Amino acid sequence: MTAVSVLLCFFFACTGHKSPPQRQPSSDVHLRHQLFQSTLSIVDSPQLDSDDCGNNEQKKIRFRSRVAYSGTPYSGFQLQPHRTTIQGEIEDALYRRYNRRIAVVGAGRTDAGVHARGQAIHFDLLQDEVPFSSTIIVHNATASERSSCDDFCNELQYSMNRMLPLEIRLFRLQLAPYEMSTKRIWHATQSSSSKWYSYRFTLGPTLLNPLERFVRTHIVHRPSFAPTSSCGQPYALTTDDITRLKSILEVYVGTHDFKAFGGQLEQNEKRSGKKMNTIRTIHTVELVKESFEFDSTGSSELNCFIGEEGNYRIDFLIEGALYKMVRNMVGTAIQVWLGNMQQTQLVELLQTDDSGDVEKSRKDNPCKPAPPEGLTLECVYYNDLF
């Protein structure tokens, strides 16, 4: 251990600084990183995502799975060189089992510190890696074939979870279906219809439960519209305050241009050479009061940590999100609620300029994104109710 490492450990031990443990890449990760640049293109290659299941030359069978993870010790979902990610950990587990790199495609690319309860992924295995024929996808399977497929999926899910870190769990691993409506095999990203994100936070001057410090954000700032107290008592939230926040969040509902809420748009456009479509549809935005448990006597004092009466959650049902879009939406709404920004400014940021004379950018939005720990990808929805 270097002298700098010793000093840092001494600093965190003495100050009690909140520093969540960062998972270090394994030896397999280092091996994969050496081949990162040359193999990353495999994820979106036509060969890997070939969807013609009726082709006799098709030798890959697609599987899909739900994924739940705590994003605290990870640098996001997407594979990154020399960083520990959710996708990287899943691919490492597949590599250890099949001794080759198997690309994993996720429905959403959550950023560092963001969690997921119902993320969706898919990956392709070769014909000789499964105990049944690829024709089971497009033809009626016999009872024996279906039983063999189910047993294999259950065993693979169990094996993967044994190899994955405790912060990541696969569930509902199954054969990906062939979609008759699109004549394509199921795809984690392209087949999704909508996504449900939630953002959890504690409002007001109450304490944040330390057990939730990595899954909830504490908003402790005093609203500018709050009346001053001559006796120095902390400001207590009122029904009008919550009603005001709900009205601000409702501004997002509908189809708008979210260019002022996306992250790294200019960098991505320069890298790809294509202009990104920043029009997104928000189906529902709901502010939910999260209740706490009462004991057998009807009192909450024994089971409720002080401050949990200020726990809230914002639910977003959207078709798709730009990078950091949801966090920027929450951060901007909170700043409007605190009185640091006018609601009319928020409306202007969402307006689409049909003339093209005024080009919006993230710089037009002065608000910072909400912290990542409060955000969770709750579910990715599909037409087949997967």
Side-chain angles (χ1 to χ4, degrees):
M1 181 179 290
T2 64
V4 175
S5 300
V6 173
L7 289 175
L8 286 175
C9 293
F10 178 77
F11 168 76
F12 288 128
C14 293
T15 62
H17 191 272
K18 183 180 76 173
S19 178
Q22 293 294 314
R23 183 169 293 279
Q24 298 299 318
S26 63
S27 58
D28 286 339
V29 176
H30 288 299
L31 175 61
R32 174 173 49 77
H33 285 156
Q34 295 175 5
L35 304 175
F36 177 81
Q37 295 299 332
S38 60
T39 60
L40 184 59
S41 60
I42 297 178
V43 174
D44 298 317
S45 67
Q47 180 182 6
L48 179 64
D49 289 336
S50 176
D51 296 328
D52 184 9
C53 292
N55 191 337
N56 293 330
E57 297 180 357
Q58 173 60 247
K59 296 182 180 181
K60 294 182 179 178
I61 302 179
R62 177 161 297 175
F63 293 85
R64 65 181 182 179
S65 177
R66 291 288 186 178
V67 188
Y69 52 83
S70 169
T72 302
Y74 297 95
S75 298
F77 177 86
Q78 187 180 8
L79 197 66
Q80 301 177 51
H82 307 295
R83 291 182 180 272
T84 308
T85 65
I86 305 298
Q87 180 184 358
E89 293 291 342
I90 299 175
E91 289 191 2
D92 286 340
L94 288 168
Y95 180 86
R96 292 198 295 273
R97 178 174 175 118
Y98 294 102
N99 199 31
R100 69 179 182 91
R101 195 215 164 189
I102 299 175
V104 171
V105 178
R109 299 176 178 180
T110 56
D111 47 315
V114 175
H115 318 289
R117 203 183 311 271
Q119 170 75 284
I121 62 169
H122 79 248
F123 56 88
D124 295 349
L125 298 181
L126 298 176
Q127 175 63 78
D128 59 4
E129 294 172 334
V130 298
F132 49 84
S133 172
S134 60
T135 58
I136 191 176
I137 303 176
V138 292
H139 300 296
N140 291 329
T142 64
S144 176
E145 289 176 327
R146 178 56 60 186
S147 176
S148 176
C149 177
D150 291 342
D151 291 343
F152 174 80
C153 291
N154 292 335
E155 189 277 331
L156 178 58
Q157 175 179 299
Y158 175 81
S159 174
M160 292 283 290
N161 284 330
R162 287 289 300 270
M163 291 185 286
L164 285 168
L166 292 176
E167 300 93 354
I168 307 173
R169 281 295 172 266
L170 303 184
F171 62 102
R172 295 185 189 172
L173 195 153
Q174 58 190 248
L175 195 67
Y178 183 76
E179 298 179 328
M180 299 302 297
S181 59
T182 60
K183 305 299 181 183
R184 292 172 61 91
I185 194 70
W186 186 93
H187 192 283
T189 305
Q190 299 172 4
S191 300
S192 65
S193 58
S194 58
K195 297 176 182 177
W196 169 24
Y197 287 91
S198 67
Y199 195 90
R200 290 174 170 82
F201 57 97
T202 297
L203 281 177
T206 55
L207 298 177
L208 173 67
N209 189 334
L211 299 181
E212 296 186 329
R213 66 192 185 280
F214 296 138
V215 295
R216 187 181 298 276
T217 299
H218 194 190
I219 301 175
V220 297
H221 303 291
R222 184 185 184 89
S224 61
F225 56 82
T228 58
S229 174
S230 58
C231 58
Q233 293 296 324
Y235 174 70
L237 289 171
T238 65
T239 303
D240 292 340
D241 297 335
I242 302 304
T243 301
R244 170 179 163 80
L245 181 55
K246 287 182 177 179
S247 66
I248 295 171
L249 292 171
E250 289 173 356
V251 173
Y252 290 122
V253 178
T255 301
H256 308 286
D257 187 352
F258 285 91
K259 191 167 187 177
F261 297 84
Q264 300 182 358
L265 291 177
E266 291 80 5
Q267 298 91 317
N268 291 332
E269 289 178 344
K270 289 180 181 179
R271 184 164 51 248
S272 64
K274 299 179 181 179
K275 187 177 180 62
M276 293 186 63
N277 178 16
T278 55
I279 303 297
R280 295 292 187 271
T281 298
I282 311 296
H283 295 295
T284 304
V285 180
E286 184 177 2
L287 179 63
V288 180
K289 177 71 169 66
E290 293 193 317
S291 59
F292 47 84
E293 297 291 337
F294 287 86
D295 63 16
S296 58
T297 64
S299 172
S300 63
E301 294 181 357
L302 296 179
N303 295 332
C304 174
F305 177 83
I306 181 172
E308 292 189 7
E309 67 275 6
N311 287 353
Y312 287 86
R313 183 185 78 242
I314 305 176
D315 288 336
F316 298 89
L317 181 61
I318 64 180
E319 288 187 3
L322 302 169
Y323 178 62
K324 288 189 178 180
M325 175 176 143
V326 178
R327 288 173 55 196
N328 281 319
M329 291 168 61
V330 174
T332 304
I334 293 298
Q335 290 304 312
V336 174
W337 180 74
L338 293 174
N340 299 326
M341 180 177 176
Q342 297 297 319
Q343 187 166 334
T344 54
Q345 293 177 267
L346 171 58
V347 175
E348 291 175 358
L349 290 174
L350 295 169
Q351 290 178 346
T352 303
D353 182 34
D354 298 329
S355 65
D357 296 334
V358 180
E359 192 74 14
K360 292 189 182 72
S361 69
R362 179 65 181 89
K363 296 179 181 179
D364 295 320
N365 186 353
C367 303
K368 295 181 179 180
E373 64 268 16
L375 184 60
T376 300
L377 174 56
E378 297 286 353
C379 186
V380 182
Y381 293 103
Y382 298 91
N383 293 331
D384 65 344
L385 303 179
F386 166 57

